[in-house]
């Protein structure tokens, strides 16, 4: 309820107590009025509580102050002994103004489907007023069920702990802990009782947005309740007593100005102590995850096609369309730099408009798997077609094994056809690097050249591929040959097909809503110590 300090004055001692107004006032037996100590009646206490409510409703943090004199120091300095029969001195009201960035950050988090709630040690009316000021609660609305004093929750949490210990056969008292064996029937009864307690707590936390007069144990009860409901919970804290809740949450965030104990228990430390930074981190996290999926999508859709081209060609009796050294070059040239550039892509428009990703959702969802299948079929078909056409042009037969030609003629013809294949794969995959920058958004709405890293990666890959295919010594090492106008015309004509198909596929996704994650529900709530992402 409060804290006291003992000071010495004129060979006497005075205990000064400050703390929660309701706790301090109920421990006062007298009051200081106009310099005189008078008996504090029940009516006077009601008036003092009324004043507390009036000040708290203005978003002021209110403390009550009481004193008691002693002739000598007490042997028992516990608060139960010291903090009683106090003389009420008055109330102290102060304002801790909200940071200007909090209100838009709470609104942005809510818009992104992040349910924000507040846990505070403040008086109930103070917490409610602050929550309304920052947009956590709607002003003028009936928020009686959204704001609670943690006293009720504390009682339920204590009962949960007690029943859990009984189920484990542990009965605790002040002197000992002894282990007993309970029957199956008794265990079933306790299990049912525990589930009812869980349900009661979960019902409270599901509707509550502001928790007032909270103590450290209450935070653990709240975190566990949200986790039982399937939420991903982020708890912030700064004190020593917050360590357990920080460890119990899915993500514990300690304030940079907090204690070393809190920082040690947390998963990350917030250096600027700003709620807006947490919201910015959520957006950054979504962007990173989205870029990982683009990276994987691009690599799988291109590499699976390359494998199928080689497999199908060899099963059909052709020589492999790609030699081992060419495969290595493709992995370096088209899979390396462009894929890294995709990982540095900016966030897609509307990334904070979607609801949170379900925990059960795989890295590759049905949108990406469908895209991989479509791209694999198209790219494989194009590569087999240009390989067969190249063989027909340069060896006279579709499989490159013309008995009327010399071995050298067939080999040169196969090398030219392979060169056509590798150029086609390089160019179409580099164009695909542009369209893979978004899984649903059109490339043109994003800006074709908005990611400079992709430009550098594509330019690097094109220049070095042309050098490898045309510089004497290098082209022989990579089993490549110089192409004529006819071959270049076919390569360049087929190059944009995969990118066009990808853009058409995204257009179908957008118009049909296929695989679209539901938009976030604007919950119009917010919270300084805890966030929970709802699946």
């Amino acid at each position: 309820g409060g804290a006291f300090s003992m000071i010495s004055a004129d060979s006497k001692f005075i205990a000064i107590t400050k703390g929660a107004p309701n706790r301090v006032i109920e421990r006062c037996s007298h009051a200081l009025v106009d310099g005189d100590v008078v008996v504090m009646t029940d009516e006077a206490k009601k008036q003092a509580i009324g004043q507390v409510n009036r000040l708290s409703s203005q978003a002021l943090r209110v403390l009550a102050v009481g004193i008691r004199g002693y002739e000598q120091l007490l042997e028992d300095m516990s608060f139960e002994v010291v903090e009683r029969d106090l003389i009420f001195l008055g109330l102290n009201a102060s304002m801790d103004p909200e940071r200007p960035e909090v209100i838009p950050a709470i609104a942005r988090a809510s818009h992104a489907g992040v349910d924000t709630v507040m846990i505070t040690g403040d008086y109930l009316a103070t917490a409610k007023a602050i929550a309304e000021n920052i947009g956590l609660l709607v002003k003028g609305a009936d928020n009686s069920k959204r704001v609670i004093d943690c006293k009720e929750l504390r009682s339920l949490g204590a009962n949960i702990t007690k029943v859990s210990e009984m189920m484990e056969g542990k009965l605790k008292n002040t002197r000992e802990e002894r282990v007993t064996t309970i029957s199956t029937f008794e265990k079933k009864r306790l299990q049912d009782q525990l589930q009812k307690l869980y349900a009661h707590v979960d019902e409270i936390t599901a509707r509550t947005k502001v928790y007032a007069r909270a103590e450290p144990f209450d935070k653990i009860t709240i975190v566990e309740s949200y986790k039982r409901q399937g939420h991903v919970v982020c708890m912030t804290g700064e004190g020593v007593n917050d360590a357990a809740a920080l460890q119990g949450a899915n993500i514990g965030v300690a304030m940079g100005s907090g204690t070393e104990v809190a920082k040690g228990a947390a998963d990350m430390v917030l250096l600027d102590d700003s709620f807006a930074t947490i919201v910015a981190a959520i957006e950054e996290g979504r962007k990173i995850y989205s870029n990982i999926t683009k990276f994987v999508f691009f690599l799988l859709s291109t590499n699976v096609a390359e494998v199928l081209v080689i497999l199908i060609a060899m099963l059909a009796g052709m020589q492999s369309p790609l030699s081992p050294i060419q495969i290595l070059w493709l992995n370096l040239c088209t899979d390396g730099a462009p894929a890294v550039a995709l990982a540095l892509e900016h966030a897609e428009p509307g990334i904070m408009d979607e609801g949170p990703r379900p925990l059960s959702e795989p890295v590759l969802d049905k949108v990406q798997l469908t895209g991989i299948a479509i791209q694999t079929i198209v790219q494989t078909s194009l590569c087999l077609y240009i390989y067969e056409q190249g063989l027909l042009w340069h060896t006279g037969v579709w499989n490159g094994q013309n008995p009327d030609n010399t071995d050298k003629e067939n080999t040169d013809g196969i090398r030219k056809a392979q060169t056509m294949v590798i150029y086609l794969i390089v160019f179409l995959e580099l164009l695909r690097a542009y369209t893979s920058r978004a899984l649903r958004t059109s490339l043109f709405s994003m800006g074709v050249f908005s990611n400079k890293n992709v430009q550098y990666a594509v330019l690097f890959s094109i220049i070095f591929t042309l050098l490898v295919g045309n510089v004497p010594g290098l082209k022989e090492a990579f089993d490549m040959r110089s192409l004529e106008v006819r071959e270049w015309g076919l390569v360049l004509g087929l190059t944009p097909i995969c990118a066009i198909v990808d853009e058409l596929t995204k257009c179908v996704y957008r118009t049909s809503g296929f695989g679209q994650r539901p938009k976030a529900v604007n919950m119009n709530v917010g919270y300084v110590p805890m966030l929970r992402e709802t699946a």
Side-chain angles (χ1 to χ4, degrees):
F4 70 87
S5 300
M6 188 72 75
I7 64 173
S8 174
D10 297 330
S11 301
K12 294 184 179 181
F13 297 91
I14 300 175
I16 302 175
T17 299
K18 64 177 177 64
N22 57 331
R23 301 287 183 85
V24 174
I25 290 173
E26 71 181 13
R27 294 172 185 174
C28 291
S29 58
H30 293 75
L32 186 66
V33 180
D34 297 330
D36 297 324
V37 177
V38 299
V39 174
M40 192 173 190
T41 63
D42 290 341
E43 182 63 27
K45 290 183 179 181
K46 289 181 181 180
Q47 291 178 0
I49 293 296
Q51 184 73 348
V52 170
N53 292 334
R54 186 183 68 81
L55 293 170
S56 298
S57 64
Q58 301 173 34
L60 296 174
R61 289 186 166 90
V62 185
L63 293 176
V65 182
I67 64 171
R68 183 179 177 183
Y70 294 93
E71 295 293 333
Q72 59 185 12
L73 282 177
L74 302 176
E75 293 184 4
D76 184 356
M77 295 292 289
S78 63
F79 74 90
E80 292 91 348
V81 174
V82 176
E83 295 182 2
R84 64 182 183 183
D85 296 330
L86 300 174
I87 300 173
F88 178 66
L89 292 186
L91 302 173
N92 178 282
S94 61
M95 175 176 285
D96 184 7
E98 304 85 15
R99 293 187 179 186
E101 71 271 15
V102 169
I103 296 176
I106 288 176
R108 193 159 179 242
S110 177
H111 193 67
V114 178
D115 190 2
T116 313
V117 298
M118 183 171 77
I119 304 176
T120 177
D122 287 334
Y123 197 63
L124 188 69
T126 303
K128 179 175 177 291
I130 292 174
E132 291 177 346
N133 287 346
I134 62 177
L136 195 64
L137 298 173
V138 180
K139 283 188 177 181
D142 181 10
N143 294 314
S144 57
K145 291 186 177 181
R146 291 193 164 196
V147 184
I148 68 164
D149 188 305
C150 284
K151 185 176 181 180
E152 178 185 359
L153 204 62
R154 193 172 306 129
S155 174
L156 290 170
N159 287 335
I160 288 174
T161 301
K162 181 179 178 181
V163 174
S164 299
E165 290 176 348
M166 291 175 67
M167 286 184 62
E168 295 173 0
K170 295 180 180 180
L171 301 176
K172 293 185 178 181
N173 56 39
T174 55
R175 295 185 178 180
E176 64 177 355
E177 176 181 314
R178 55 192 178 87
V179 179
T180 62
T181 303
I182 60 176
S183 65
T184 303
F185 175 80
E186 179 67 9
K187 194 168 186 177
K188 178 65 169 60
R189 185 187 68 81
L190 292 173
Q191 181 67 39
D192 292 341
Q193 185 179 350
L194 188 61
Q195 291 305 317
K196 290 179 180 178
L197 289 170
Y198 283 155
H200 193 176
V201 172
D202 294 348
E203 186 273 330
I204 292 174
T205 58
R207 58 176 167 78
T208 302
K209 304 305 175 188
V210 179
Y211 300 85
R213 304 304 304 151
E215 295 182 0
F217 180 76
D218 301 329
K219 296 181 181 181
I220 300 173
T221 302
I222 295 167
V223 167
E224 291 176 346
S225 174
Y226 284 137
K227 290 174 72 175
R228 279 196 303 272
Q229 297 172 55
H231 302 305
V232 177
V233 183
C234 169
M235 168 68 78
T236 69
E238 59 184 1
V240 174
N241 292 332
D242 293 327
L246 290 172
Q247 285 186 323
N250 298 97
I251 306 169
V253 180
M255 300 296 103
S257 59
T259 62
E260 292 302 319
V261 173
K263 294 177 184 178
D267 298 294
M268 67 170 92
V269 178
L270 199 61
L271 295 179
D272 62 358
D273 293 0
S274 174
F275 177 78
T277 302
I278 297 178
V279 179
I282 292 173
E283 181 177 12
E284 185 69 15
R286 291 187 178 188
K287 185 196 80 171
I288 291 172
Y289 183 85
S290 175
N291 287 348
I292 290 173
T293 61
K294 295 171 191 175
F295 178 94
V296 175
F297 170 72
F298 174 75
L299 289 181
L300 285 180
S301 61
T302 55
N303 282 290
V304 172
E306 292 171 15
V307 172
L308 285 179
V309 167
I310 296 172
L311 179 63
I312 293 174
M314 296 185 72
L315 289 176
M318 301 177 179
Q319 188 169 327
S320 173
L322 296 170
S323 66
I325 189 67
Q326 291 170 346
I327 295 173
L328 290 174
W329 176 251
L330 283 175
N331 286 332
L332 174 65
C333 181
T334 63
D335 296 346
V340 172
L342 286 176
L344 301 175
E345 181 63 43
H346 300 297
E348 289 186 50
I351 196 170
M352 289 294 279
D353 295 336
E354 296 181 348
R357 178 181 58 86
L359 290 173
S360 58
E361 181 179 288
V363 175
L364 294 177
D365 58 18
K366 59 183 181 181
V367 170
Q368 291 143 334
L369 291 175
T370 302
I372 289 172
I374 293 172
Q375 285 298 316
T376 297
I377 293 171
V378 174
Q379 184 172 332
T380 301
S381 301
L382 292 175
C383 290
L384 288 174
Y385 168 74
I386 200 172
Y387 185 50
E388 181 183 9
Q389 191 63 45
L391 292 175
L392 283 172
W393 283 349
H394 298 293
T395 66
V397 294
W398 64 273
N399 63 359
Q401 305 298 324
N402 191 340
D404 296 333
N405 295 336
T406 63
D407 290 343
K408 184 179 184 306
E409 290 174 334
N410 282 335
T411 299
D412 287 341
I414 291 173
R415 291 290 179 259
K416 279 206 170 186
Q418 288 177 333
T419 302
M420 293 170 67
V421 172
I422 193 169
Y423 275 133
L424 177 63
I425 291 177
V426 168
F427 293 159
L428 67 82
E429 288 188 4
L430 291 180
L431 273 185
R432 281 282 327 288
Y434 286 96
T435 63
S436 296
R437 291 172 53 202
L439 299 176
R440 305 183 68 90
T441 306
S442 169
L443 170 64
F444 302 101
S445 63
M446 294 181 63
V448 177
F449 304 108
S450 57
N451 186 338
K452 292 183 179 180
N453 297 299
V454 173
Q455 320 309 323
Y456 299 145
V458 169
L459 187 62
F460 164 84
S461 298
I462 290 177
I463 290 175
F464 279 90
T465 299
L466 291 175
L467 288 175
V468 164
N470 292 279
V471 174
L474 282 178
K475 65 179 181 181
E476 288 79 15
F478 283 87
D479 297 330
M480 296 178 69
R481 299 291 185 269
S482 298
L483 299 184
E484 300 172 359
V485 175
R486 180 177 61 169
E487 287 91 6
W488 276 116
L490 183 59
V491 169
L492 297 178
L494 297 178
T495 291
I497 292 179
C498 280
I500 293 171
V501 170
D502 199 9
E503 284 299 306
L504 291 175
T505 303
K506 290 192 285 186
C507 181
V508 173
Y509 290 161
R510 292 192 301 273
T511 54
S512 66
F514 177 74
Q516 177 69 53
R517 185 173 293 129
K519 293 290 184 180
V521 178
N522 194 329
M523 295 166 242
N524 195 33
V525 292
Y527 158 54
V528 178
M530 175 189 291
L531 292 168
R532 57 190 174 100
E533 282 210 11
T534 52

